[in-house]
Amino acid sequence: MGSANVAVNSWLSDRERFADLFNGTLFDGKQLIHPEDLEDLDRETDILITGKSGKTRGLQRYRDIAKRWKGGSDLMVLACESQAKIHYAMPVRNMLYDSLTYTDQIRQLWGKSADRSGMTGEEYLSSFRKSDRIYPVITLVFYYDLKPWDGPTDLYGMFGLHENGVADNIIRKYVPNYHINLLDAGAVRNLKHFQTDLQQIFGVLKYRGNKTGLQNYMQENRDYFTRVNVDAYQALCAFLHSEKMLKEIKDSGKDVKIDMCQALEELYQDGVKEGREEGIAEGIAAVISNMLKSGMSITDIKKYTDADDRVIEQVQKDLK
C-alpha cells in the first residue's frame, strides 16, 4: 500500500469521520451511526478452504478499514475500501471480501461451539447451527482520484447485458446481482450531509483541478484550513497528489496544526519555479540542437552556452 493510501485510511479510520462517512453517503446525513457504537475489527481475513478432493488451501485478504457497529440491539460490520484508481472489477472484488467476512463469522461461531451435543447431522455438515446468526456486512468504496469513476457499479455491469436479450433475461432472473456502494469523493453533491471535516475536504476535491476556485474555497473556509491537523493534512496531500508536501510533514507531531492555505501557495510557487527552470532548459537544448545541425564544434558550443558534456550528449542522442 502506497503512502497516499496509508494517509487516507488513517484519516478515515477516526471513529467520528468513519461514522460521518457512512451517515453522509448511505443515509443522506441522518445520524444513524454514532462514533461511540463503533469498534475496530481485525482487517485481515485468513481462512482455509477444503475442496471435495480433500485438498486445503489458504485464502487471505486485507480490508482497508473494518469496524463493528452496534446499532441498538443489532450488530453490523462496516468496511471501507479506499481506491486511488478506478478498479474495473470492483463488484467481484468487493463480493469476495464480503463473502470472506461472512465465512470468517461462520468459522468463529463454530469455533465457539464447545458443546456440540444434540447437534443434527445437517448442523455438523454446515458447521453452523440452525439457530446461529451472522452479522450483515456493508462495504463502502471510497474513490478519490481526479478522473470520474467510469467502472461498473454492480455485477450485471460487468456482464455487458443487453436490454432485450433472451439470455440476458435469464441471467437477470437467476443470477443474483451485487451492487457496490460507491462514493466518488470529488463529485459529492450535498456537502451538508457531512458533519465532520469531511465536508471541507470534499469541498476541496471539487476544486482541485481549478487553482482559483480552490484558493477561493479555502479562503471561504479559512477558519478550518489555517489550522488543519496532521491526519487531515496528509489526506489532503494524497488527494492533491502532492508527495512533496506529504514528505515534509511526515516527522511532525500529531498535535501540530498546519496552515493549508500557505502550504498550497508554496506548492504553486514551487510549480511555477520548476516550470520556468524546465522552460530555460528546453530553450538551451534547442539552441544546442541548432548549433549541432549547423556543424559547430563541441568546443565552440560549450564556449557560447556554458552547457556541460552531459547536456550536449543528450541533445546529440535526441537528434539521432
Side-chain angles (χ1 to χ4, degrees):
M1 185 184 297
S3 59
N5 267 348
V6 171
V8 171
N9 290 336
S10 175
W11 177 65
L12 287 176
S13 293
D14 173 81
R15 291 184 185 182
E16 289 190 9
R17 290 195 189 102
F18 191 83
D20 193 30
L21 180 67
F22 276 79
N23 286 331
T25 304
L26 303 182
F27 309 129
D28 296 329
K30 295 177 183 176
Q31 300 301 295
L32 301 182
I33 302 172
H34 301 286
E36 60 271 20
D37 294 332
L38 295 173
E39 61 180 57
D40 294 336
L41 287 176
D42 187 355
R43 298 185 301 109
E44 178 184 357
T45 300
D46 186 6
I47 63 173
L48 295 175
I49 299 176
T50 303
K52 291 185 176 180
S53 63
K55 291 184 178 180
T56 301
R57 63 186 180 90
L59 190 59
Q60 184 181 58
R61 292 292 185 274
Y62 288 91
R63 291 280 198 178
D64 285 338
I65 311 172
K67 296 184 187 292
R68 182 184 289 113
W69 171 40
K70 183 176 175 59
S73 60
D74 299 320
L75 290 175
M76 194 173 296
V77 175
L78 304 179
C80 178
E81 297 299 324
S82 299
Q83 286 297 125
K85 296 295 180 183
I86 297 169
H87 195 304
Y88 290 108
M90 202 69 198
V92 169
R93 179 184 173 188
N94 265 22
M95 186 167 60
L96 173 61
Y97 284 179
D98 288 353
S99 297
L100 287 174
T101 303
Y102 288 128
T103 303
D104 191 47
Q105 289 185 54
I106 293 171
R107 181 186 64 176
Q108 290 185 32
L109 280 171
W110 187 247
K112 293 176 182 177
S113 301
D115 181 11
R116 297 177 182 175
S117 59
M119 281 190 181
T120 65
E122 290 86 353
E123 288 175 324
Y124 270 109
L125 178 65
S126 307
S127 298
F128 193 75
R129 294 175 183 266
K130 183 179 179 180
S131 59
D132 283 340
R133 296 293 180 266
I134 56 177
Y135 309 140
V137 178
I138 299 178
T139 299
L140 179 65
V141 177
F142 180 80
Y143 170 68
Y144 57 90
D145 194 20
L146 186 61
K147 179 182 177 182
W149 182 276
D150 63 359
T153 56
D154 60 21
L155 190 60
Y156 285 2
M158 295 179 65
F159 291 159
L161 300 181
H162 303 288
E163 194 166 331
N164 297 313
V166 175
D168 297 340
N169 291 334
I170 294 174
I171 290 171
R172 287 190 176 93
K173 184 175 182 180
Y174 295 107
V175 178
N177 200 1
Y178 177 91
H179 298 267
I180 63 172
N181 303 302
L182 175 71
L183 171 63
D184 189 338
V188 175
R189 294 184 178 180
N190 197 333
L191 295 175
K192 292 183 179 179
H193 283 171
F194 301 93
Q195 309 299 315
T196 65
D197 61 352
L198 289 175
Q199 182 179 135
Q200 287 82 10
I201 302 301
F202 290 164
V204 165
L205 301 190
K206 282 191 172 184
Y207 297 104
R208 58 185 160 177
N210 178 350
K211 175 185 175 182
T212 301
L214 180 56
Q215 289 176 323
N216 290 340
Y217 180 79
M218 284 189 167
Q219 288 300 323
E220 291 170 4
N221 295 271
R222 189 173 180 81
D223 288 346
Y224 172 76
F225 287 110
T226 54
R227 292 183 56 79
V228 176
N229 64 37
V230 172
D231 283 349
Y233 177 85
Q234 290 175 329
L236 270 168
C237 291
F239 296 143
L240 298 174
H241 300 289
S242 177
E243 290 294 329
K244 178 180 183 297
M245 291 163 62
L246 191 59
K247 290 176 182 176
E248 287 180 352
I249 200 65
K250 65 180 181 180
D251 295 326
S252 296
K254 291 294 183 181
D255 295 331
V256 171
K257 300 295 182 182
I258 301 156
D259 186 342
M260 190 70 194
C261 299
Q262 180 63 32
L264 189 67
E265 184 57 36
E266 290 174 359
L267 177 67
Y268 279 132
Q269 292 304 322
D270 286 346
V272 170
K273 180 181 177 182
E274 289 170 7
R276 286 174 179 165
E277 291 175 350
E278 184 177 341
I280 292 171
E282 288 178 355
I284 293 173
V287 171
I288 294 172
S289 177
N290 289 332
M291 288 178 171
L292 288 169
K293 289 177 182 177
S294 68
M296 187 176 289
S297 68
I298 302 298
T299 301
D300 287 339
I301 291 174
K302 291 172 68 174
K303 176 181 177 182
Y304 288 108
T305 64
D306 289 329
D308 59 30
D309 292 332
R310 180 181 55 82
V311 174
I312 296 173
E313 287 175 3
Q314 184 59 52
V315 175
Q316 286 177 313
K317 288 180 181 179
D318 293 340
L319 286 174
K320 293 179 180 180

